Amino acid sequence: MQVTLSIRPLPGFTKSDRDDIKFYTRYIKCYFEQLTQLLSKDYMYSPFPYIGMEQGLHNICGEAQFIILDVDYTSTDIHARLLQLADEQLECILGTTSDPNNLFKYRVLLPLNRPVTHHEYRRLVMGVREFNLVSDLDRASEKPSQKFYSYKDSTVIYNKGSPLVVDDYLVPEQELVPSQLSCSLELHDILNEFSTYSTAPPGSRTRYLLSAAFQLVERGADHKLLEQVILHLNNSFLIPKDINSVYRRVINFIKERRKYL
């Protein structure tokens, strides 16, 4: 089957150099099996298209046809994992990351029987974990806008099988808990999404912060994430508001009223 993805070659880039890259250079279509070639070279990639090719949750403008799972801490090596997925008769590609000799740290790519939105993507990856298909995946894999890297000379293995049936693993929306937007997963993307709020002039700063806070509540942010984002946004203002005022007029105001929102 054919899939689409955003890519950017990173020849010779160090691991730290890659962290600063925010833009992809191409959006391509290829057969899923051909991704074995990409995973053995230096690339940045994502299953989603982005407005202006800029990586970020707010820029996603299409659907994904495969999922990418990060496995960082496991007792199941890459070859044993392939056998497990082959037993489920699933098509998949597995590739090591920055250390090709570490067979306990790898990526799992699974094609889907239908495209998914970025909202479904999160719920699908959660289901893959909760229904024990790949229970030890890293929670960062749930982020639709997560950047993934491939590395030259990685160990890459492939199994020919069937696509993952989305509706067999999709977690119902009502099962998503309010704290799902954890700081470790979303803070960077959310700050990028609200970057335009930093232009708020004096006189509009409280209104801008309240607008951001209401959006965060709608997205299920917990108190900790709400507080972090609002304080970051305030600090990004040319003239920040005093902290006591931010807590009184925005953070505490929202916390007291969020049960009615």
Side-chain angles (χ1 to χ4, degrees):
M1 64 175 292
Q2 289 190 309
V3 296
T4 52
L5 66 155
S6 297
I7 64 170
R8 175 173 182 152
L10 300 173
F13 280 62
T14 66
K15 197 168 184 180
S16 59
D17 289 339
R18 296 170 182 233
D19 291 339
D20 297 327
I21 304 297
K22 290 289 294 180
F23 288 87
Y24 297 94
T25 54
R26 295 177 62 198
Y27 183 62
I28 66 170
K29 176 183 283 188
C30 65
Y31 287 100
F32 178 76
E33 187 175 356
Q34 292 178 302
L35 296 183
T36 55
Q37 300 172 32
L38 180 143
L39 263 65
S40 60
K41 299 177 182 177
D42 290 321
Y43 272 90
M44 178 174 86
Y45 62 101
S46 167
F48 285 101
Y50 297 87
I51 296 172
M53 306 298 286
E54 183 180 5
Q55 177 263 341
L57 184 63
H58 60 299
N59 282 334
I60 292 176
C61 60
E63 298 177 315
Q65 296 166 316
F66 65 101
I67 59 173
I68 306 167
L69 310 176
D70 225 348
V71 179
D72 288 338
Y73 303 99
T74 182
S75 59
T76 305
D77 72 28
I78 191 171
H79 297 292
R81 182 75 68 189
L82 183 78
L83 292 176
Q84 290 177 355
L85 296 172
D87 284 344
E88 299 292 332
Q89 300 181 330
L90 290 171
E91 185 173 14
C92 59
I93 298 172
L94 285 74
T96 55
T97 57
S98 55
D99 180 2
N101 297 313
N102 185 352
L103 302 184
F104 293 88
K105 182 178 173 65
Y106 48 87
R107 304 265 152 72
V108 179
L109 279 62
L110 296 165
L112 308 175
N113 72 319
R114 68 168 177 84
V116 295
T117 66
H118 67 281
H119 297 293
E120 290 178 309
Y121 189 95
R122 186 187 301 279
R123 293 161 51 204
L124 176 58
V125 174
M126 289 176 63
V128 166
R129 185 187 72 251
E130 291 182 10
F131 296 134
N132 292 318
L133 181 63
V134 183
S135 60
D136 48 6
L137 61 86
D138 191 286
R139 293 292 293 270
S141 305
E142 297 172 12
K143 288 178 58 179
S145 61
Q146 176 75 2
K147 293 187 294 184
F148 290 96
Y149 303 114
S150 58
Y151 297 86
K152 184 179 179 181
D153 300 326
S154 291
T155 298
V156 181
I157 52 180
Y158 169 77
N159 184 69
K160 185 177 179 63
S162 301
L164 185 74
V165 178
V166 171
D167 293 328
D168 286 350
Y169 290 92
L170 198 64
V171 173
E173 202 154 358
Q174 59 268 27
E175 291 186 15
L176 296 177
V177 296
S179 61
Q180 187 57 43
L181 294 182
S182 71
C183 301
S184 61
L185 292 180
E186 295 295 341
L187 183 57
H188 179 72
D189 273 345
I190 289 174
L191 290 175
N192 283 333
E193 184 171 348
F194 288 110
S195 60
T196 56
Y197 282 65
S198 63
T199 60
S204 299
R205 294 170 300 176
T206 298
R207 179 167 58 84
Y208 274 52
L209 293 176
L210 281 171
S211 174
F214 279 117
Q215 289 191 51
L216 288 166
V217 170
E218 288 178 358
R219 292 176 55 183
D222 59 17
H223 286 342
K224 182 179 179 181
L225 180 57
L226 175 72
E227 185 172 329
Q228 282 192 296
V229 173
I230 296 304
L231 292 177
H232 271 86
L233 290 178
N234 182 62
N235 287 335
S236 70
F237 291 158
L238 182 61
I239 305 176
K241 291 178 65 65
D242 70 273
I243 297 300
N244 289 336
S245 175
V246 172
Y247 272 98
R248 185 181 71 256
R249 301 192 60 189
V250 180
I251 295 174
N252 293 339
F253 175 83
I254 293 294
K255 287 181 179 180
E256 291 170 2
R257 288 159 176 76
R258 69 180 300 158
K259 64 182 178 181
Y260 302 111
L261 300 176

